[in-house]
């Protein structure tokens, strides 16, 4: 029983670390988002092997979130509701760059008790070109053509740097890659990350967004 | 006769037990152009006649989407309708956000009814001068509700409000069993001019249609492939014929004046597609 005669320290632990990684490649006329489906806690226990981290917002935009799953669920609800309001008011779906800017403001709105969510918004812009935006926990974002967030960032990002934009190599120029090449890269990179990181594994859920629509693919990994 | 003494405020009763301000508000609804709502076993449809202020202005939007599964058609003061529509949208969004479930139509309608009643009993305020036809699809099936400025709410099998709507109501009364039970009776009616553009709102359960129909419906003209949607096709035709009853003899329905937007269950197909479509 607690003593009431002296101050007692309590730990306020509002966040939980659920692991996972989301990566994305955006090309000339496609955007791919891949998210792993393992939900873990504190890098020590697997809570689920088929959690969904990438959410479709419109027929052209996806939002991938990793970090704390509770905050991620709440955030996706807020974003989807705001998207609905936009549709009612404007008679059309919000474009990808609009979603990106809006997400930044939503995240910054919680600057002093942040969503523990690292997000990627990816999709097609109004001209049909693939775009991708990476975020930090409080809404700082920038556009790029590939990126990764989550536990695998440190492993995946350098790999993508090397293979797609060839930075830090003698070549050092971005090569335009086709959809199939991008999928192959994604496959290899995801595998590599899953092999080494405990929080990543089980399966990768891939969504390919093109002007023809959204295609979903899943490739399973070792369940260890 | 004594009307003038008792019609200044909404809080004053007349000796006959009427509140004239509310009745005057109902007149505003009768000034609006006609709109028809009807339902079958599987679909609920709204059809409306759009009116333009002048030749220069666009035709006034009559059908508003409230949520994926509910839409409203308005007759009367458009501004009041907009406010109510926003309120309804908020309520529907709230239900989806908090309970992750579409708001049942009956509940939505009672919320609107309660909201409309407040200014009918408060000094200094006036009733909402708009009548709504609310069509939607929920777990219990398709619904059509009518609301008045008096804040009464009616659950209807089919209804028409607005100018000259009695003729439409008569049409609907006569043909009620043809669409309510979902019998696919094809009626051939020849219009003098083809109807180019329908704007109609239709809410139904997504499980009765496959994705194929979604694609077809989104690009009007509606040439329905599936037997399920023959229901919808006939229902819309009935709605349009009822609407036509409200027009003066020398006019006919054209795309510019007809309004609708198609929704199927939880999928939003997009508003007001315009292309030629003769019946």
């Amino acid at each position: 029983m607690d003593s009431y005669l002296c101050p007692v320290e309590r730990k306020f632990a509002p966040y939980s670390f659920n692991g996972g990684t989301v990566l994305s490649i955006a090309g000339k006329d496609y955007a791919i988002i891949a998210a792993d489906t393992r939900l873990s806690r504190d890098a020590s226990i697997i809570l689920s092997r088929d959690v969904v981290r990438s959410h479709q917002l419109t027929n052209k935009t996806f939002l991938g979130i990793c970090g704390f799953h509770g905050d991620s669920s709440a955030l996706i609800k807020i974003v989807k509701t705001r998207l609905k309001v936009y549709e009612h008011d404007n008679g059309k779906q919000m474009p990808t760059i609009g979603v990106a800017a809006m997400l930044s403001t939503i995240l910054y709105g919680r600057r002093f008790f942040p969503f523990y969510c690292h997000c990627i918004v990816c999709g097609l812009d109004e001209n049909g070109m693939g775009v991708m935006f990476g975020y930090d926990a409080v809404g700082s974002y920038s556009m790029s053509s590939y990126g990764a967030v989550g536990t695998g960032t440190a492993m995946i990002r350098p790999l993508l740097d090397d293979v797609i934009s060839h930075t830090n190599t003698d070549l050092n120029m971005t090569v335009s890659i086709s959809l199939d090449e991008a999928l192959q890269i994604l496959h290899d990179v995801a595998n590599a990350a899953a092999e080494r990181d405990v929080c990543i594994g089980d399966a990768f859920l891939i969504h390919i967004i093109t002007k023809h629509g959204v295609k979903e693919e899943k490739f399973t990994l070792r369940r260890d | 006769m004594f009307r003038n003494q008792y019609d200044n405020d909404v809080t004053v009763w007349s000796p006959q037990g009427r509140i004239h301000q509310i009745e005057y508000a109902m007149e505003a609804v009768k000034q609006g152009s006609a709109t028809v709502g009807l339902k079958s076993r599987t679909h609920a449809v709204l059809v409306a006649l759009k009116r333009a202020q002048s030749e220069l202005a666009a035709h006034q939007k009559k059908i508003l989407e409230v949520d994926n599964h509910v839409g409203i058609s308005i007759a009367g003061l458009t501004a009041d309708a907009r406010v109510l529509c926003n309120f309804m949208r908020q309520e529907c969004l709230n239900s989806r956000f908090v309970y992750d479930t579409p708001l049942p139509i009956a509940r939505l309608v009672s919320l609107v009814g309660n909201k409309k009643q407040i200014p009918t009993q408060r000094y200094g305020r006036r009733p909402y001068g708009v009548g709504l036809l609310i069509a939607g699809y929920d777990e219990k099936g398709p619904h059509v509700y009518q609301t008045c400025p008096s804040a009464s709410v009616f659950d209807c099998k089919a209804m028409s409000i607005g100018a000259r709507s009695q003729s439409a109501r008569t049409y609907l009364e006569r043909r009620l069993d043809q669409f309510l039970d979902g019998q696919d009776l094809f009626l051939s009616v020849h219009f003098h001019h083809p109807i180019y553009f329908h704007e109609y709102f239709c809410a139904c359960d997504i499980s009765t249609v496959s994705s194929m129909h979604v694609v077809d419906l989104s690009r009007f003209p509606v040439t329905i492939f599936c037997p399920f949607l023959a229901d919808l096709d006939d229902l819309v035709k009935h709605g349009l014929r009822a609407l036509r009853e409200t027009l003066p003899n020398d006019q006919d329905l054209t795309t510019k004046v007809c309004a609708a937007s198609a929704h199927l269950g939880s999928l939003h197909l997009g508003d007001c597609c315009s292309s030629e479509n003769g019946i």
Side-chain angles (χ1 to χ4, degrees):
Chain A
M1 191 175 116
D2 286 334
S3 162
Y4 298 104
L5 298 177
C6 59
V8 178
E9 186 189 347
R10 304 260 184 238
K11 255 182 103 165
F12 179 49
Y15 298 118
S16 180
F17 177 61
N18 293 128
T21 199
V22 175
L23 53 145
S24 169
I25 299 178
K28 202 160 59 105
D29 55 1
Y30 64 86
I32 315 175
I33 184 164
D36 86 314
T37 61
R38 173 176 288 181
L39 193 76
S40 52
R41 189 171 69 211
D42 302 327
S44 65
I45 179 173
I46 295 179
L47 296 172
S48 167
R49 293 193 195 271
D50 53 16
V51 77
V52 171
R53 288 200 165 88
S54 45
H55 307 269
Q56 180 160 16
L57 298 179
T58 69
N59 58 357
K60 282 200 253 179
T61 317
F62 264 76
L63 171 59
I65 318 177
C66 45
F68 170 39
H69 196 67
D71 275 352
S72 148
S73 309
L75 181 61
I76 197 72
K77 273 193 154 183
I78 294 172
V79 170
K80 281 190 168 164
T81 303
R82 290 281 296 267
L83 242 53
K84 206 70 200 282
V85 174
Y86 181 95
E87 272 184 43
H88 281 148
D89 291 340
N90 297 284
K92 66 172 186 133
Q93 293 193 317
M94 201 187 273
T96 307
I97 51 166
V99 175
M102 182 185 76
L103 181 59
S104 173
T105 62
I106 293 173
L107 291 171
Y108 196 83
R110 288 271 297 255
R111 172 70 177 80
F112 301 111
F113 187 0
F115 287 104
Y116 186 0
C117 291
H118 294 93
C119 307
I120 283 184
V121 168
C122 101
L124 302 176
D125 68 6
E126 294 298 277
N127 302 321
M129 253 185 60
V131 286
M132 188 228 97
F133 301 86
Y135 291 76
D136 74 354
V138 283
S140 163
Y141 77 112
S142 63
M143 185 163 88
S144 48
S145 56
Y146 60 88
V149 290
T151 54
T153 311
M155 281 183 239
I156 293 171
R157 207 177 260 277
L159 251 179
L160 293 177
D161 278 340
D162 187 73
V163 169
I164 298 177
S165 67
H166 301 281
T167 43
N168 311 319
T169 67
D170 292 334
L171 193 54
N172 199 17
M173 52 170 262
T174 307
V175 176
S176 165
I177 49 174
S178 72
L179 177 58
D180 293 323
E181 282 176 327
L183 279 172
Q184 187 56 49
I185 291 170
L186 219 69
H187 207 277
D188 296 339
V189 161
N191 251 323
E195 286 291 310
R196 289 292 185 180
D197 189 342
V198 297
C199 297
I200 305 175
D202 293 323
F204 261 85
L205 199 58
I206 303 182
H207 293 273
I208 305 154
I209 309 146
T210 57
K211 66 169 189 257
H212 303 292
V214 173
K215 208 161 66 114
E216 182 180 296
E217 279 177 18
K218 185 171 182 175
F219 70 91
T220 43
L221 301 161
R222 286 198 294 159
R223 289 153 72 88
D224 69 346
Chain B
M1 195 183 24
F2 289 110
R3 247 163 99 115
N4 292 334
Q5 287 181 291
Y6 306 108
D7 65 358
N8 284 324
D9 300 313
V10 79
T11 49
V12 177
W13 288 95
S14 80
Q16 289 78 35
R18 292 149 64 175
I19 302 179
H20 291 297
Q21 276 295 305
I22 295 180
E23 283 167 30
Y24 295 164
M26 314 252 265
E27 288 299 313
V29 176
K30 293 179 198 156
Q31 300 294 328
S33 61
T35 169
V36 171
L38 61 168
K39 67 179 182 185
S40 70
R41 253 179 321 124
T42 53
H43 296 72
V45 171
L46 290 170
V47 195
L49 203 63
K50 300 196 286 190
R51 192 186 274 162
Q53 279 281 77
S54 67
E55 287 222 358
L56 298 168
H59 289 80
Q60 177 67 52
K61 208 162 134 97
K62 291 269 285 181
I63 298 184
L64 303 165
E65 182 205 342
V66 167
D67 200 353
N68 291 345
H69 66 301
V70 198
I72 60 170
S73 172
I74 66 183
L77 264 51
T78 317
D80 285 2
R82 226 175 30 237
V83 166
L84 286 172
C85 181
N86 277 339
F87 169 76
M88 291 167 84
R89 283 174 181 167
Q90 284 293 108
E91 294 299 319
C92 286
L93 274 175
N94 192 58
S95 175
R96 284 201 191 261
F97 187 90
V98 176
Y99 303 109
D100 206 19
T101 181
L103 189 57
I105 316 295
R107 208 170 290 168
L108 172 65
V109 150
S110 71
L111 288 167
V112 174
N114 288 339
K115 184 167 166 77
K116 280 179 129 178
Q117 194 277 341
I118 294 167
T120 67
Q121 205 176 5
R122 211 156 272 192
Y123 180 71
R125 295 190 59 176
R126 62 161 179 84
Y128 286 94
V130 62
L132 304 174
L133 283 181
I134 301 165
Y137 193 100
D138 61 15
E139 278 180 348
K140 294 213 160 87
H143 304 275
V144 174
Y145 284 89
Q146 179 202 2
T147 68
C148 303
S150 61
S152 7
V153 166
F154 306 104
D155 188 356
C156 309
K157 298 174 190 174
M159 179 50 72
S160 171
I161 57 176
R164 291 183 292 274
S165 53
Q166 183 54 54
S167 354
R169 280 197 289 278
T170 316
Y171 175 96
L172 292 168
E173 270 166 37
R174 282 204 209 112
R175 287 168 180 70
L176 204 56
D177 50 354
Q178 282 171 8
F179 53 81
L180 197 56
D181 294 326
Q183 292 165 25
D184 300 346
L185 277 179
F186 179 75
L187 289 170
S188 73
V189 172
H190 300 283
F191 288 97
H192 301 293
H193 307 285
I195 296 173
Y196 296 110
F197 166 40
H198 308 319
E199 192 183 83
Y200 68 85
F201 176 88
C202 145
C204 75
D205 184 6
I206 189 62
S207 65
T208 66
V209 286
S210 74
S211 58
M212 186 61 178
H213 312 127
V214 171
V215 171
D216 290 335
L217 221 80
S218 73
R219 29 174 186 269
F220 265 89
V222 178
T223 333
I224 316 291
F225 297 98
C226 167
F228 291 124
L229 285 180
D231 232 328
L232 173 60
D233 196 23
D234 285 340
L235 200 62
V236 174
K237 285 178 193 173
H238 278 300
L240 288 167
R241 284 174 204 131
L243 203 64
R244 193 167 174 272
E245 299 290 320
T246 68
L247 288 171
N249 282 334
D250 56 343
Q251 287 178 27
D252 207 335
L253 289 175
T254 69
T255 55
K256 282 169 81 178
V257 300
C258 253
S261 69
H263 296 250
L264 278 174
S266 58
L267 276 166
H268 176 61
L269 298 179
D271 254 0
C272 312
C273 318
S274 71
S275 61
E276 282 183 287
N277 177 21
I279 286 187

